[in-house]
Amino acid sequence: MKKAVTLGALAVTMTILLAGCGSSSATSTKNTSSSSAKSSKTTKIVATGSTALQPLVEQAGQAFQNEHSNVTINVQGGGSGAGLSQVAKGSVNIGNSDLFAEEQKGLDAKGLVDHKVAVVGMAPVVNKAAGVTNVSKDQLVKIFQGKITNWKEVGGKNEKITVVNRAQGSGTRATFEKWGLDNAKVATSQEQDSNGTVEKIVSTTPGAISYLAFSYIKSGLEPLSIDNVKPTEANVANNKWKIWAYEHMYTKGAPTGEIKTFLTYMTSKGVQGNLVKKLGYIPLTSMKVDRGLSGKITTLK
């Protein structure tokens, strides 16, 4: 009888131990599955807006994705106005802009956080057939006002001037009109919504003139000097060349998580020292001056 009791107790003990092992195994499997799901979760970042900034964000975004397999970055154009309005509405994660948000008409910039990632120089560009390399500020204004209509009037060839403007809402247009034309009212002309389209039209249309970010000025185009000041990085850095802007990446509120990590990456030495220069932008660290929202210039030490 005593032996029977002992065997019964042993059976109960074994049952408890087996149950415990099963519970531990299930818990371990559950934790592994949860950890795997967590690590495979993908973060999607959508950045839209400035076409002047688009090439830099696209290439930096691709490099960032290569190092962060759990992140996908979708970069779209549409112009600075579109980028700012969409990020303000919360439709996208990042709004790319050539303008300070406060400069965009009709936009409530409250709550938007600015992240400067580069400087972009902009210049008036003509088809090389125009035969012009330099104009005065006054001549440039009159060309865009339609008061000068042939290149021979400014020392070029006998070729009708075709003005190609950027669409309303373009940060490139706003920057060019403010710093290149002193906000003079321009004549009505054809409008295009991207730097890339403008580059193609001007390079293939004799007599055409428009304006582009430095990063889009290719062979076949002639960047115009203004009052004998050339549109170069060195002249932008000390503000001798006035037509330039910061490239902004705005977020609605302070960024967190992978968005914050990506924006930090945009100002890293690797991007600023290599990709920014390679694509024709100017690193923030190369600037010898700072220009605030009001236009006030401060010399950097």
Side-chain angles (χ1 to χ4, degrees), residues 6 28 38 60 83 91 132 160 163 173 191 211 224 238 263:
T6 302
S28 177
K38 184 177 181 180
S91 303
V132 176
K160 180 182 177 182
V163 175
R173 175 171 178 166
E191 296 181 352
Y211 42 89
L224 293 181
N238 59 23
L263 290 169

Side-chain angles (χ1 to χ4, degrees), residues 7 19 68 103 157 163 193 213 244 259 272 281:
L7 290 173
H68 299 78
E103 293 181 279
K157 295 180 180 179
V163 175
D193 62 1
W244 61 272
I259 297 173
Q272 292 291 309
Y281 301 87

Side-chain angles (χ1 to χ4, degrees), residues 45 59 67 75 85 88 90 134 138 194 242 252 270 273 300:
I45 299 173
Q59 292 199 34
E67 298 176 8
V75 184
S85 64
N134 177 76
D138 182 62
S194 76
K242 311 291 184 184
K252 189 172 185 179
L300 297 175

Side-chain angles (χ1 to χ4, degrees), residues 3-294:
K3 185 182 289 186
V5 171
T6 302
L7 290 173
L10 180 61
V12 171
T13 302
M14 290 298 294
T15 300
I16 293 172
L17 287 172
L18 287 171
C21 288
S23 174
S24 176
S25 176
T27 301
S28 177
T29 300
K30 182 177 180 182
N31 288 340
T32 300
S33 176
S34 175
S35 176
S36 177
K38 184 177 181 180
S39 63
S40 64
K41 184 179 179 181
T42 299
T43 298
K44 183 176 181 181
I45 299 173
V46 179
T48 189
S50 165
T51 60
L53 179 54
Q54 189 173 353
L56 176 59
V57 181
E58 284 179 339
Q59 292 199 34
Q62 185 58 59
F64 185 83
Q65 287 178 114
N66 292 341
E67 298 176 8
H68 299 78
S69 59
N70 63 320
V71 178
T72 61
I73 299 175
N74 182 359
V75 184
Q76 304 167 6
S80 298
L84 290 170
S85 64
Q86 288 185 44
V87 74
K89 293 175 183 176
S91 303
V92 298
N93 307 109
I94 297 171
N96 297 329
S97 175
D98 310 323
L99 305 173
F100 287 96
E102 293 83 356
E103 293 181 279
Q104 182 62 36
K105 295 178 181 179
L107 177 77
D108 182 3
K110 186 178 180 181
L112 294 185
V113 178
D114 186 9
H115 310 275
K116 297 186 185 76
V117 297
V119 168
V120 60
M122 300 172 188
V125 292
V126 299
N127 184 286
K128 286 193 172 181
V132 176
T133 59
N134 177 76
V135 293
S136 69
K137 176 69 122 355
D138 182 62
Q139 288 172 333
L140 185 67
V141 171
K142 287 180 179 178
I143 287 171
F144 278 87
Q145 288 181 323
K147 295 178 180 179
I148 293 177
T149 59
N150 193 297
W151 287 112
K152 68 180 181 181
E153 297 178 61
V154 290
K157 295 180 180 179
N158 183 13
E159 186 77 58
K160 180 182 177 182
I161 295 175
T162 300
V163 175
V164 181
N165 218 328
R166 291 295 303 279
Q168 294 290 342
S170 161
T172 302
R173 175 171 178 166
T175 300
F176 181 75
E177 290 185 346
K178 182 175 183 178
W179 300 109
L181 304 179
D182 294 332
N183 287 318
K185 186 176 181 180
V186 300
T188 301
S189 63
Q190 66 165 301
E191 296 181 352
Q192 300 297 331
D193 62 1
S194 76
N195 279 272
T197 303
V198 168
E199 184 270 321
K200 290 178 181 178
I201 291 175
V202 177
S203 64
T204 57
T205 307
I209 181 173
S210 189
Y211 42 89
L212 289 170
F214 286 1
S215 51
Y216 280 90
I217 300 177
K218 314 294 183 183
S219 59
L221 295 176
E222 183 67 51
L224 293 181
S225 297
I226 300 175
D227 293 320
N228 295 308
V229 177
K230 293 183 178 180
T232 64
E233 177 181 330
N235 284 335
V236 168
N238 59 23
N239 200 47
K240 286 183 179 178
W241 182 263
K242 311 291 184 184
I243 313 173
W244 61 272
Y246 290 107
E247 293 291 29
H248 311 262
M249 296 177 74
Y250 278 93
T251 56
K252 189 172 185 179
T256 59
E258 297 292 3
I259 297 173
K260 180 179 180 179
T261 303
F262 176 51
L263 290 169
T264 299
Y265 175 76
M266 290 294 300
T267 57
S268 66
K269 289 184 178 179
V271 174
Q272 292 291 309
N274 296 307
L275 193 57
V276 168
K277 291 182 177 180
K278 176 184 174 182
L279 294 178
Y281 301 87
I282 301 168
L284 295 170
T285 51
S286 294
M287 294 300 292
K288 294 178 171 55
V289 299
D290 174 74
R291 187 164 69 193
L293 175 61
S294 67

